[in-house]
Amino acid sequence: MRTKTELVYTGRYTDWTREAILAEVEKQMKPSRFQHVLRVEACSIALAKKYGASLEACSLAALLHDFAKEHDAKSMKKIVLSQALDSEMTGYGSEIMHGPVGAYHAEKVFGIMDRAILDAIRQHTIGGEVMTLIGKVLFIADYIEPGRTFTGVDEARRLAEISLDEAAYFKIEKTIIHLVKKELPIYPGTIHVYNSWIQRKVGNSE
Ligand code: GDP
Ligand code: FE
Ligand code: FE
């Protein structure tokens, strides 16, 4: 069984059916990653129901979020440069580029124009200084889908039951700690997002 949702698209965001999107997404990646995408969609729909986001928008953002993940770095770089995205991304590899490049494909291939869906896909790896509800749903669903097993994921799942913002802040903080521990380079955009969330958090508690 490939599909776990009864969701039928209204045509509001794309002419593509959910089935046609699944077939196209499946072509872009290995089977295990496609299963991850389906789990992120199921998890996004559950969060969307809980927090009152559009199920259709969250489904689309989830299905397309890792569209570019396995594309070669050279083609991603080309898109980053031709679309005048932050050229600094090209120094941080596909992990940093696949969100923004995925958003480009969502628009070009699937005709999605909705800003919140495109931003959610664009921001899904590092988050954003400002995020919409759809963006937060995808950001958290990608982090806590049932296939994730890292230390701390249960705490992230618990926080997601209480507050999307708390869960988002947790992911932003833990990701920085993880990158430092692994001695991985941190893309400046990742730091900007952390700074803006921590400043809001401290500001709120004063
Ligand atoms: P996935 O595409 O489903 O695997 O999930 P993501 O798009 O969230 O994450 C891709 C990877 O990028 C994760 O392993 C993150 O830890 C990593 N990542 C996030 N921010 C940065 C960063 O600033 N620098 C580097 N080097 N990696 C990052
Ligand atoms: Fe991703
Ligand atoms: Fe993902």
Side-chain angles (χ1 to χ4, degrees):
M1 194 184 71
R2 251 181 43 176
T3 61
K4 281 194 193 136
T5 170
E6 301 293 308
L7 206 60
V8 174
Y9 291 164
T10 60
R12 178 167 174 201
Y13 301 111
T14 178
D15 294 339
W16 288 57
T17 63
R18 185 170 172 280
E19 278 305 315
I21 292 174
L22 285 176
E24 188 58 33
V25 169
E26 193 169 16
K27 282 194 226 159
Q28 313 297 316
M29 55 192 70
K30 58 187 182 207
S32 59
R33 190 173 317 279
F34 183 62
Q35 291 306 314
H36 158 72
V37 165
L38 294 181
R39 290 191 302 269
V40 173
E41 190 207 20
C43 197
S44 291
I45 290 173
L47 289 172
K49 284 181 180 161
K50 183 173 171 60
Y51 289 103
S54 157
L55 306 192
E56 186 175 356
C58 288
S59 160
L60 275 165
L63 291 182
L64 298 178
H65 84 282
D66 277 342
F67 190 84
K69 178 96 177 187
E70 294 179 19
H71 293 180
D72 65 282
K74 216 169 144 187
S75 79
M76 282 198 236
K77 274 186 191 176
K78 245 190 211 164
I79 292 168
V80 167
L81 300 176
S82 71
Q83 297 305 305
L85 300 172
D86 177 16
S87 61
E88 206 168 3
M89 276 194 276
T90 60
Y92 294 82
S94 63
E95 298 295 23
I96 290 301
M97 288 189 286
H98 78 276
V101 172
Y104 168 81
H105 290 301
E107 190 174 348
K108 289 290 162 233
V109 178
F110 300 99
I112 291 175
M113 313 269 278
D114 185 82
R115 205 15 72 199
I117 296 176
L118 297 176
D119 282 348
I121 298 169
R122 181 170 60 80
Q123 298 177 330
H124 85 265
T125 302
I126 71 167
E129 295 179 34
V130 177
M131 295 170 86
T132 64
L133 184 54
I134 295 166
K136 289 174 189 172
V137 163
L138 176 59
F139 192 58
I140 302 312
D142 194 20
Y143 197 54
I144 65 169
E145 60 94 346
R148 301 291 198 197
T149 56
F150 57 86
T151 310
V153 70
D154 287 334
E155 175 64 0
R157 290 183 181 126
R158 189 186 70 78
L159 291 171
E161 288 292 316
I162 304 167
S163 154
L164 279 182
D165 280 343
E166 288 295 327
Y169 176 73
F170 182 85
K171 174 175 174 178
I172 289 164
E173 183 189 347
K174 294 298 173 223
T175 299
I176 299 250
I177 292 170
H178 164 82
L179 294 168
V180 170
K181 278 194 181 147
K182 292 210 123 189
E183 298 187 334
L184 288 164
I186 302 179
Y187 169 59
T190 305
I191 308 271
H192 288 314
V193 171
Y194 170 76
N195 285 343
S196 95
W197 280 74
I198 188 86
Q199 275 157 356
R200 266 203 302 271
K201 187 174 170 148
V202 171
N204 285 342
S205 66
E206 274 172 358

